[in-house]
Amino acid sequence: MGFFHPFFAFFLLFLSFYFLTTPTLAWPQSHGPNAVVDIRNDLPNNTKVQLELGCDKSPFIYLKLCHHRNSTITEDQDSKCTAEWLPSFTTWDVYHAKRDKGHQTVYWSIRKDGFYHSWDGSNWKLLEKCLQIGSMD
């Protein structure tokens, strides 16, 4: 019986050390502060096709008219999305660190003529025009 007691104490010590250090080693801390990207579907009400949206490695989703999608990203990393509603499509930088760093939220409004950017959700600037399948503009 005396043999099991020191072994058991060592086992508990080892187990405690393992659980105290593993979370620190397994889950690295974020590389910096986060930002929120808010993408809104502001296409006209008479749009017959749905907007498909895919960002970075996330699967594509359908974004309904007048709805929005929020994503939290690391502030130091660029992020891209692809939007498609036939015959229009584009891939654009939804978060570009040089342009957007320091802004807690980056807003995008997807409209018939392009992709509008804002840092406050009310003052918009056209940053990306839509491409159409079959056009080389």
Side-chain angles (χ1 to χ4, degrees):
M1 280 268 213
F3 173 76
F4 290 107
H5 183 64
F7 177 76
F8 185 72
F10 175 77
F11 177 75
L12 285 178
L13 183 64
F14 173 78
L15 198 61
S16 299
F17 177 77
Y18 175 79
F19 283 116
L20 288 173
T21 60
T22 301
T24 306
L25 299 173
W27 296 290
Q29 298 297 317
S30 176
H31 297 303
N34 291 330
V36 174
V37 173
D38 184 302
I39 303 170
R40 301 194 297 207
N41 181 350
D42 290 328
L43 292 170
N45 286 334
N46 63 353
T47 303
K48 301 221 190 273
V49 293
Q50 289 187 347
L51 172 67
E52 288 185 74
L53 181 68
C55 297
D56 295 324
K57 295 180 181 181
S58 299
F60 275 78
I61 62 164
Y62 287 106
L63 190 59
K64 295 179 181 181
L65 289 173
C66 302
H67 284 80
H68 64 102
R69 176 184 186 265
N70 288 329
S71 297
T72 302
I73 59 168
T74 303
E75 193 176 64
D76 294 332
Q77 296 178 345
D78 294 346
S79 181
K80 290 185 178 288
C81 286
T82 298
E84 180 180 301
W85 67 100
L86 296 176
S88 300
F89 73 98
T90 199
T91 297
W92 82 107
D93 292 320
V94 293
Y95 185 86
H96 188 64
K98 288 183 180 179
R99 177 191 64 212
D100 300 318
K101 190 171 183 175
H103 296 278
Q104 200 169 5
T105 305
V106 178
Y107 298 92
W108 286 95
S109 172
I110 301 175
R111 303 177 189 178
K112 184 179 180 179
D113 61 335
F115 296 75
Y116 288 77
H117 176 268
S118 175
W119 288 313
D120 62 8
S122 60
N123 296 304
W124 300 96
K125 179 180 179 183
L126 177 64
L127 286 191
E128 192 77 35
K129 290 190 175 187
C130 298
L131 300 174
Q132 291 201 351
I133 296 174
S135 75
M136 298 303 286
D137 297 337

